[in-house]
Amino acid sequence: MDQVAGNEEIHKLRSQFIPQGHTSGQSRYVASAGGAVIRDVEGREYIDFAGGIGVMNVGHSHPKVVAAIQDQAAKFTHTCFMVFPYEPAVRLAEKLCRATPGVFPKKALFVNSGAEAVENAVKIARYATKRAAIIACENAYHGRTLLTMSLTSKVKPYKFGFGPFAPEIYHVPYAYCYRCSFGLRYPGCSVACADYLKDFFINHVAAEDVAALIAEPVQGEGGFMTPPPEYFPKVAKICKEKGILFIADEIQSGMGRTGKMFAIEHWGVEPDLITVAKSLAAGMPLSAVVGRAEIMDSVHASGLGGTYGANPVACSAGLAVMEIFEEEDILAKAQALGEKLRKRFDEFQGRFEIIGDVRGKGPMLALELVRDRETKEPAADEAKALVKTCFEKGLLLLSCGTFGNVIRTLMPLTITDGQLERGLAILADGLKSLGR
Ligand SMILES: Cc1ncc(COP(=O)(O)O)c(C=O)c1O
């Protein structure tokens, strides 16, 4: 389709034909994107610190991804993997099984969205353990389908008015150290939030009824909460002792986002099941559940699947992404980017009172904004204003957080130094304009 309309005209049409529930952060419209830069239909350029919510780790329209999509689309776009399978899905499954932590035999199931991957991880965990209950974490985000909305923690806007929710879902406090649920401080706390699981089995749900515990190694939408080193080893050990499967939801934190291929590697834990999506196929709708072969294979024939799952064009894009990771050493780029960002964000915290906390892993980094460093009153309006002023100046930023007061970085890991510096300069100006 040729681009014909300007921002205002498209926006008018959008207001008429797209429901307001499917909100967009901006009322300008994209014409093209490359690397870490997006152009709107009127020719304005934006440095992209959002990456389509963590989807564009290898950059927009990477030539290798574009070529893989074009090449596969010219061969065939769909036969349905359940009807007549094809090689790209098998090759990508092999690559993912090798790239995920743990040297034990693994298998990978492909579906379409992050939420669908989480749904399937839960199905598989229930089937394998013959147990019903699932434990999720406070501040968690796992998607917008009935089950994943039930696993999600924040009520507005994700759950409000959409109940009743799926049964047998329980939430435990997470290691949100800046606002500890137990009023403790690390390291004096001895990571009490992990040990709390044991009490939870007494008061909330019997361990022998729990199929799995699902957690994001670095919480995404919740606000980039990053547990201390002892947290996941402790949680995984308790799960193992009780026969509970540990599912790492790596949909936002995976695919190099934290400087390792999967964030859980920072904690040295090997999950039973891992959910992957977003940057897996550079914008093509593809997600996966990767897990121990015996667990994945516990489900009867035809118990899993879907019409579009393992779409050949999406899998070919995924294979291109995997090659780019190797050829361009994306993990080394991510680590270097993470170090630069951390240094600059620490400097920002020294300069701007409004920054209460800097946290994250590698380039998955965030600033929690507060009105007062003592009371930690969340500065949600200020976060919103910051996103808006930065956008006007050509920087696309994303906020997140249980209290809506966190600014996060999800830029392409391939961002150039020049683009990064331009973006950080706009961000610094924006923080200054908040006057705190
Ligand atoms: C950790 C996590 N899990 C699940 C999802 C849901 O993914 P999707 O929006 O593709 O359904 C997201 C999306 O942001 C996510 O960050």
Side-chain angles (χ1 to χ4, degrees):
M1 191 195 90
D2 288 335
Q3 188 67 55
V4 285
N7 284 312
E8 214 178 304
E9 191 181 335
I10 305 172
H11 194 60
K12 242 183 177 165
L13 269 180
R14 177 229 163 82
S15 309
Q16 194 178 347
F17 293 112
I18 293 184
Q20 64 165 354
H22 195 181
T23 313
S24 303
Q26 312 300 339
S27 51
R28 292 184 194 157
Y29 291 80
V30 177
S32 65
V37 175
I38 301 178
R39 273 162 230 92
D40 77 8
V41 293
E42 292 170 7
R44 289 185 203 85
E45 281 197 353
Y46 307 84
I47 306 283
D48 185 9
F49 273 19
I53 323 189
V55 172
M56 304 313 301
N57 285 358
V58 300
H60 292 277
S61 299
H62 190 293
K64 198 155 189 153
V65 174
V66 174
I69 291 171
Q70 286 173 336
D71 184 50
Q72 181 56 48
K75 287 181 188 149
F76 63 98
T77 56
H78 180 81
T79 56
C80 185
F81 194 77
M82 300 184 299
V83 177
F84 206 158
Y86 33 80
E87 188 172 359
V90 179
R91 293 276 175 211
L92 185 60
E94 181 190 11
K95 291 234 178 235
L96 264 183
C97 289
R98 294 194 197 288
T100 39
V103 286
F104 41 82
K106 284 179 233 141
K107 295 203 173 181
L109 167 77
F110 291 113
V111 282
N112 306 293
S113 66
E116 207 183 341
V118 172
E119 291 261 356
N120 277 281
V122 169
K123 274 172 71 173
I124 295 165
R126 283 179 168 163
Y127 200 101
T129 59
K130 306 288 175 240
R131 300 172 177 188
I134 304 291
I135 297 179
C137 299
E138 288 176 7
N139 312 301
Y141 181 84
H142 296 291
R144 293 176 185 265
T145 58
L146 174 60
L147 179 61
T148 58
M149 186 172 53
S150 309
L151 292 167
T152 291
S153 173
K154 188 173 174 177
V155 180
K156 284 185 181 175
Y158 306 124
K159 304 170 78 153
F160 185 68
F162 296 129
F165 301 107
E168 285 308 309
I169 307 279
Y170 299 85
H171 284 92
V172 291
Y174 190 76
Y176 186 0
C177 299
Y178 185 62
R179 299 177 190 273
C180 177
S181 305
F182 301 90
L184 301 172
R185 276 179 87 112
Y186 179 79
C189 63
S190 305
V191 199
C193 49
D195 288 320
Y196 173 72
L197 254 185
K198 293 177 196 154
D199 294 345
F200 199 78
F201 297 139
I202 298 167
N203 282 312
H204 297 272
V205 59
E208 51 269 44
D209 284 338
V210 181
L213 181 146
I214 183 166
E216 299 155 86
V218 177
Q219 287 186 323
E221 303 307 299
F224 282 23
M225 286 69 131
T226 311
E230 301 88 340
Y231 180 76
F232 283 116
K234 267 191 173 191
V235 167
K237 185 165 176 275
I238 297 169
C239 286
K240 195 159 188 207
E241 283 165 6
K242 303 288 184 190
I244 296 168
L245 301 182
F246 175 56
I247 306 172
D249 182 346
E250 292 264 13
I251 285 163
Q252 192 158 153
S253 59
M255 298 305 294
R257 188 69 244 162
T258 64
K260 293 200 184 278
M261 199 61 178
F262 293 96
I264 197 68
E265 294 171 54
H266 290 284
W267 285 267
V269 165
E270 294 169 352
D272 299 299
L273 297 168
I274 299 181
T275 51
V276 192
K278 293 196 184 275
S279 279
L280 172 60
M284 298 301 289
L286 183 71
S287 64
V289 183
V290 189
R292 291 180 188 272
E294 71 274 17
I295 296 171
M296 297 294 289
D297 266 340
S298 67
V299 179
H300 58 267
S302 298
L304 304 169
T307 303
Y308 294 114
N311 172 271
V313 181
C315 287
S316 298
L319 281 170
V321 167
M322 288 302 208
E323 277 176 26
I324 293 165
F325 265 81
E326 279 174 30
E327 288 168 9
E328 298 183 20
D329 205 352
I330 297 292
L331 292 184
K333 281 199 170 94
Q335 284 154 21
L337 175 62
E339 281 164 26
K340 279 179 220 158
L341 274 174
R342 172 67 75 166
K343 190 161 168 274
R344 300 299 294 278
F345 278 14
D346 286 345
E347 275 167 28
F348 286 175
Q349 194 179 24
R351 275 167 67 195
F352 304 110
E353 247 333 271
I354 196 162
I355 300 175
D357 195 25
V358 178
R359 60 171 174 263
K361 282 269 181 218
M364 186 172 183
L365 210 61
L367 305 171
E368 176 157 355
L369 307 186
V370 290
R371 297 212 171 115
D372 181 314
R373 283 190 183 176
E374 278 303 304
T375 64
K376 299 183 181 175
E377 184 191 348
D381 291 345
E382 291 83 345
K384 222 179 191 176
L386 183 61
V387 170
K388 193 163 182 283
T389 37
C390 287
F391 186 70
E392 289 304 324
K393 290 181 178 157
L395 173 66
L396 186 60
L397 266 188
L398 272 183
S399 63
C400 64
T402 298
F403 306 103
N405 62 329
V406 178
I407 298 293
R408 56 178 155 172
T409 60
L410 290 170
M411 67 278 283
L413 303 172
T414 53
I415 191 168
T416 65
D417 280 348
Q419 291 161 345
L420 180 69
E421 286 308 319
R422 246 165 68 208
L424 288 172
I426 297 172
L427 178 56
D429 278 353
L431 284 162
K432 202 166 161 194
S433 73
L434 295 177
R436 283 171 201 269

